[in-house]
């Protein structure tokens, strides 16, 4: 099975392709330049895998939360491939994806993305149990959610920032942080294979990114901010 995966939820873009004989992944951590590099990066990784978009059996991406621009770019790219070649697209929670490499650690996992102004997109799981659903949280809400957890692994692109804030509140707690960022598109491939095996439904034509807060443009339109 040939699968293409993209993580465009944050500025650090990750791509991967898996075929029957090859696995290729790449990461671009070059700031706010997703629109310049995404399509050429897809073309390049498919070329290295020696397949075309028409030969894909499925594609997957982080569906949110995350950057409004990145999420729109990712889904636009994969929807274009779907329309051209009938390749189903699977949408996966960004926070679920960031926690996936650590799912067998046997401890609670807190995955996070900085949402600015002392807020984080966050999710907490313990095995198959969801302790805190994907949402846009104040630091106070997250600190309350981990109050009775002695050891927790914090993962995701902004794990260091959140762990420092929580450690200042709970000096005796054990917050574990991965030494380096994982290849997030590789996790997407694994999750997508599991979804296909379970015969899960791909995204519908009308499905789009999952936004957990309004964009600045929407807030200005509503008069919430100036």
């Amino acid at each position: 099975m040939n699968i293409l995966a993209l993580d465009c939820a944050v500025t650090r873009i990750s791509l991967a392709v898996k075929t029957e004989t090859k696995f290729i992944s790449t990461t671009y951590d070059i700031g706010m330049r997703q629109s310049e590099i995404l399509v050429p990066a897809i073309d390049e990784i498919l070329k290295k895998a020696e397949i075309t978009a028409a030969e894909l059996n499925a594609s997957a991406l982080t569906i949110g939360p995350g950057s409004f621009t990145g999420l729109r770019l990712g889904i636009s790219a994969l929807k274009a491939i779907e329309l051209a070649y009938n390749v189903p697209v699977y949408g996966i929670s960004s926070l679920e994806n960031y926690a996936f490499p650590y799912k067998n650690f046997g401890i609670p996992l807190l995955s996070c993305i900085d949402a600015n102004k002392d807020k984080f997109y966050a999710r907490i799981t313990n095995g198959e149990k969801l302790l805190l659903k994907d949402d846009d949280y104040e630091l106070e809400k997250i600190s309350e959610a981990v109050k009775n957890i002695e050891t927790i692994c914090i993962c995701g692109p902004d794990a260091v920032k959140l762990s420092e804030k929580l450690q200042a509140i709970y000096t005796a707690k054990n917050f574990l942080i991965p030494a380096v960022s994982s290849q997030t598109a590789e996790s997407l491939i694994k999750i997508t294979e599991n979804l296909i095996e379970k015969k899960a439904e791909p995204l519908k034509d009308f499905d789009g990114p999952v936004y957990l807060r309004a964009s600045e443009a929407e807030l200005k339109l509503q008069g919430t901010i100036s």
Side-chain angles (χ1 to χ4, degrees):
M1 179 171 286
N2 300 329
I3 302 174
L4 166 68
L6 313 176
D7 175 21
C8 302
V10 294
T11 56
R12 189 175 189 267
I13 295 178
S14 181
L15 304 90
V17 170
K18 183 177 181 182
T19 70
E20 294 297 330
T21 58
K22 296 182 177 68
F23 180 87
I24 301 169
S25 65
T26 185
T27 297
Y28 295 84
D29 195 357
I30 55 176
M32 300 293 291
R33 293 174 55 194
Q34 297 104 320
S35 60
E36 299 175 30
I37 66 171
L38 183 57
V39 172
I42 292 172
D43 289 341
E44 180 65 18
I45 201 168
L46 289 174
K47 182 179 178 181
K48 287 180 177 178
E50 298 182 313
I51 62 171
T52 66
E55 295 174 281
L56 290 169
N57 301 108
S59 68
L61 80 163
T62 42
I63 199 73
S67 158
F68 288 89
T69 301
L71 294 174
R72 285 194 296 266
L73 284 170
I75 201 162
S76 296
L78 295 191
K79 285 287 189 179
I81 293 173
E82 179 185 32
L83 287 170
Y85 305 112
N86 197 31
V87 177
V89 183
Y90 290 84
I92 294 152
S93 159
S94 310
L95 298 171
E96 176 187 356
N97 186 54
Y98 298 149
F100 185 82
Y102 318 103
K103 62 178 295 188
N104 295 329
F105 278 19
I107 60 173
L109 304 174
L110 165 54
S111 52
C112 66
I113 300 170
D114 186 8
N116 299 319
K117 299 179 181 178
D118 250 5
K119 299 183 76 176
F120 290 84
Y121 299 122
R123 167 195 183 105
I124 301 176
T125 56
N126 189 1
E128 298 299 319
K129 189 175 181 181
L130 183 64
L131 304 180
L132 190 71
K133 70 175 185 177
D134 295 31
D135 214 333
D136 180 13
Y137 293 106
E138 302 278 357
L139 179 61
E140 182 181 1
K141 176 66 176 179
I142 300 173
S143 65
E144 179 65 24
V146 302
K147 182 169 67 174
N148 296 318
I149 301 174
E150 289 306 314
T151 301
I152 188 167
C153 175
I154 305 180
C155 50
D158 298 296
V160 171
K161 182 174 183 178
L162 180 54
S163 67
E164 288 174 350
K165 290 180 177 292
L166 291 174
Q167 195 75 74
I169 299 169
Y170 299 112
T171 56
K173 282 191 185 296
N174 192 11
F175 297 108
L176 306 180
I177 312 164
V180 295
S181 298
S182 63
Q183 290 289 338
T184 57
E186 183 172 354
S187 294
L188 282 172
I189 295 279
K190 296 289 187 183
I191 295 170
T192 302
E193 288 176 328
N194 292 339
L195 290 173
I196 292 171
E197 185 178 344
K198 294 175 182 176
K199 302 188 184 307
E201 289 291 322
L203 295 178
K204 306 294 185 185
D205 290 343
F206 52 81
D207 287 332
V210 175
Y211 301 131
L212 297 181
R213 66 161 59 169
S215 67
E216 285 194 16
E218 289 173 308
L219 292 174
K220 286 179 179 178
L221 187 63
Q222 295 165 8
T224 308
I225 62 172
S226 57

